Amino acid sequence: MRLLERMRKEWFMIGIVLAIAGAKLEPSMGVNGGPLMPEITVSYIAVATIFFNSGLSLNTEELTSALVHIKLHLFIQIFTLAFFPAAIWLLLQLLSITPINEWLLKGLQTVGCMPPPVSSAVILTKAVGGNEVSHRANFV
């Protein structure tokens, strides 16, 4: 009975190990154009399912109350979409007079103008004990 309890507790890790073992035994299942069609299932269905399941874990009342914090949302949006790109632009102006490769600077400019990925931002916010509900409300 102890083994069964342990398996129930560790079901996710067991599933990962089984999926990896299955992929090792039959790699043709997961190739593009294969039976699992990863070009569709991974790109669209899996990502949507992950975000949907993550959203189900939110308390509706907390999310609703977080939506009214207009100043917080404005701060996050302005910091992410205006201040940070402007700071990167200033850094690039300084770095442009150095012998750093031009394409490296263009790459830094591109990354500096992109907002952080929602998935990793939510995970990191949760990991440090931040206000996950207010953070997610910015992406609703």
Side-chain angles (χ1 to χ4, degrees):
M1 193 64 150
R2 186 129 171 108
L3 178 63
L4 188 59
E5 288 175 23
R6 182 67 176 198
M7 288 177 68
R8 282 188 183 145
K9 183 179 178 187
E10 302 292 341
W11 65 270
F12 188 70
M13 287 303 294
I14 293 169
I16 289 175
V17 169
L18 290 174
I20 292 170
K24 176 73 174 164
L25 293 172
E26 192 61 44
S28 63
M29 292 286 287
V31 298
N32 281 346
L36 293 179
M37 295 185 291
E39 62 275 5
I40 297 170
T41 56
V42 172
S43 299
Y44 303 106
I45 298 170
V47 173
T49 303
I50 289 168
F51 278 106
F52 181 72
N53 284 338
S54 180
L56 289 177
S57 69
L58 290 176
N59 184 329
T60 309
E61 290 81 23
E62 288 180 19
L63 183 59
T64 306
S65 69
L67 287 172
V68 299
H69 297 292
I70 303 298
K71 288 181 183 178
L72 172 66
H73 301 304
L74 281 174
F75 171 76
I76 291 171
Q77 297 299 325
I78 290 170
F79 183 83
T80 303
L81 301 173
F83 173 78
F84 193 74
I88 292 294
W89 182 81
L90 285 173
L91 176 65
L92 288 170
Q93 297 306 307
L94 293 171
L95 292 175
S96 66
I97 59 175
T98 66
I100 293 178
N101 185 307
E102 174 189 356
W103 287 102
L104 184 61
L105 295 177
K106 288 181 180 185
L108 181 60
Q109 180 179 18
T110 302
V111 171
C113 292
M114 294 168 49
V118 176
S119 56
S120 61
V122 169
I123 290 168
L124 292 172
T125 301
K126 193 175 196 175
V128 298
N131 188 340
E132 182 185 359
V133 175
S134 288
H135 182 78
R136 286 191 194 195
N138 279 293
F139 300 104
V140 171

